[in-house]
């Protein structure tokens, strides 16, 4: 008999398969008599586990960077910090001194911190899963426990678990797994974020009824509607097959003929093929930070040239927008002398470092990019500068491009100056957008950073996560101002923040006048399908009403 359970859908995908249960926690027996415990030996066991945990987390961070991108992989930096957290380490050491062996001391020391996060509201409560992940890792290491290889599941499996941690989800193979469902979890959990990045159908927070489903039983996971179906009938299977948005390889236009470019954001070479498979009209944001991470020295000019030409070759008839190196206090690179800043998001990052302490790296990157732009057999290269806040910064960057071009010409190197653009991420760049647009070919709005700066709400501070919403009127008016100024300055205007990939906002963005939308590859088919249904004048009228709204609630009602 078919049974349907409701949860929280986290990916616009659905899948059917046989259940494989995953139970990651380590069960401990009752602790021994304290008089039989050697504190020095147990402390040495814990310290060895700390070292092993750091090694594992570094490897998993590298793997996650390759598979889902640098931003998502940063969670493993937080896990490494938890391994050395003074409160937790102090609790473990105190418990060992009081006669508990290392495994039981670890379990006890994590209990209160996990409970404190669970009692918080919203996304803060999901940090408890990060603590569980670190706790279970340390327990597995000190008990020599086996870890289920989630990267080696049977084809077509549906993974079911009480909860999945970031290190669990990072192992999953989207080419093998048909989906996963969990008893606990929320849309902003790291497991959900990884699922979206990997394109895995997923429903989280289903509740205790999911525990009734045994291994091998057939399960349908509908990440679009947030339901799981136990023992689905043929009708349910047909419905999800019919509902899946087909890939649209061609460029799309609105119902009245206005073309909108729908591109993909990528952070690694592995994501290029995925973007092409999902029908992306080229690359709207190629993050180059992955080239510089997890190594002892920066990549040289030739290595970068090979990467950029490979990206262009993947989209031979399209545009590939490469963002120059965007690092700073929030994205540290060990071999660079980055300052330890109190507020790195307001510090030395993006173009500020490229024009300052990282000027040599910037010049090398520009040389590789200008050489790649000369490849006539590949796509069209465009280059944009991150975190520009003033005309002076842009002028300095453009002068550097001119200098590099002159040097390449003198050396007899083949090169071309690509399309040049600016990322609009700061209020300063919004107010100066027309002057910036007059100097470049395009503007690209990074709504993630723009929202945090307009709303004065850090992307990393979950206590103000409610303010990190681009539907606030101030952010929407900043977007509209940028589009108008860009067009006045004869530049095309795109968007590469997460807002661009929300199918529910496609009509609004078209109405605001965006020429290009760039997003995670998984949402490209849905956004392309939505573009075709939009009447441009209707979208513009709705956008005008939204821009008159004074609260986020009014915006939500109008949408």
């Amino acid at each position: 008999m078919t049974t349907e359970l409701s949860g929280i859908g986290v990916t616009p995908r659905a899948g059917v398969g046989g259940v494989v249960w995953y139970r990651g926690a380590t069960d401990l027996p009752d602790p021994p008599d304290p008089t039989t415990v050697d504190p020095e030996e147990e402390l040495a066991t814990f310290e060895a586990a700390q070292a092993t945990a750091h090694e594992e987390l570094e490897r998993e961070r590298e793997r996650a960077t390759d598979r889902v991108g640098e931003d998502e992989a940063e969670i493993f930096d937080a896990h490494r910090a938890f391994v050395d957290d003074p409160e937790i380490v102090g609790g473990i050491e105190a418990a060992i001194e009081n006669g508990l062996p290392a495994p039981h001391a670890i379990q006890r020391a994590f209990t209160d911190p996990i409970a404190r996060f669970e009692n918080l509201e919203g996304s803060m409560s999901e940090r408890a899963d990060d603590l569980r992940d670190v706790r279970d890792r340390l327990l597995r290491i000190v008990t020599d426990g086996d870890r289920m290889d989630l990267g080696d599941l049977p084809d077509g499996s549906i993974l079911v678990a009480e909860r999945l941690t970031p290190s669990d989800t990072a192992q999953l193979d989207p080419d093998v797994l048909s989906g996963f469902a969990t008893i606990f979890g929320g849309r902003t959990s790291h497991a959900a974020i990884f699922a979206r990045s990997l394109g895995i159908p997923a429903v989280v927070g289903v509740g205790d009824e999911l525990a009734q489903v045994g291994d091998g039983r057939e399960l349908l996971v509908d990440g679009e509607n947030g339901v799981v179906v136990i023992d689905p009938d043929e009708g349910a299977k047909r419905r999800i097959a019919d509902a899946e948005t087909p890939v649209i390889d061609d460029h799309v236009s609105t119902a009245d003929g206005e073309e909108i470019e729908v591109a993909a954001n990528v952070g690694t070479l592995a994501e290029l093929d995925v973007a092409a498979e999902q029908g992306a009209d080229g690359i709207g944001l190629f993050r180059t930070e992955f080239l510089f991470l997890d190594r002892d020295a920066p990549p040289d000019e030739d290595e970068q040239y090979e990467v950029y030409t490979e990206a262009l070759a993947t989209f031979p008839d399209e545009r590939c927008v490469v963002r120059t190196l965007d690092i700073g206090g929030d994205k540290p690179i060990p071999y660079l002398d980055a300052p330890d800043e109190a507020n790195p998001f307001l510090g030395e990052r993006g173009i500020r470092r490229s024009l300052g302490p990282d000027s040599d790296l910037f010049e090398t990157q520009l040389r590789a990019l200008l050489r790649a732009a000369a490849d006539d057999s590949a796509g069209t290269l465009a280059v944009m500068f991150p975190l520009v806040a003033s005309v002076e910064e842009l002028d300095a960057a453009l002068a550097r491009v001119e200098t590099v071009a002159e040097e390449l010409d003198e050396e007899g190197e083949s090169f071309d100056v690509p399309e040049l653009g600016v990322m609009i991420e700061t209020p300063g760049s919004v107010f100066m957008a027309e002057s910036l647009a007059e100097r470049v070919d395009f503007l690209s709005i990074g709504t993630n950073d723009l929202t945090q700066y307009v709303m004065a709400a850090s992307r990393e501070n979950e206590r103000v996560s409610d303010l990190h919403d681009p539907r606030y009127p101030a952010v929407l008016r900043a977007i509209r101002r940028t589009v108008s100024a860009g067009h006045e300055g004869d530049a095309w205007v795109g968007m590469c923040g997460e807002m661009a990939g929300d199918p529910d906002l496609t009509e609004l963005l078209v109405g605001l006048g965006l020429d290009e939308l760039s997003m995670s590859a998984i949402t490209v088919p849905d956004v392309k399908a939505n573009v075709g249904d939009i009447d441009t004048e209707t979208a513009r009228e709705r956008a005008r009403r939204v821009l008159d709204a004074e609260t986020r609630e009014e915006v939500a009602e109008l949408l």
Side-chain angles (χ1 to χ4, degrees), residues 152-176:
D152 190 29
L153 297 172
D155 282 357
S157 297
I158 296 288
L159 186 67
V160 178
E162 185 176 89
R163 53 172 52 86
L164 289 174
T165 64
S167 57
D168 294 332
T169 320
Q171 298 180 64
L172 303 179
D173 185 347
D175 294 330
V176 171

Side-chain angles (χ1 to χ4, degrees), residues 241-253:
D242 294 341
E244 186 169 336
T245 305
V247 171
I248 303 173
D249 290 318
D250 296 330
H251 284 232
V252 292
S253 299

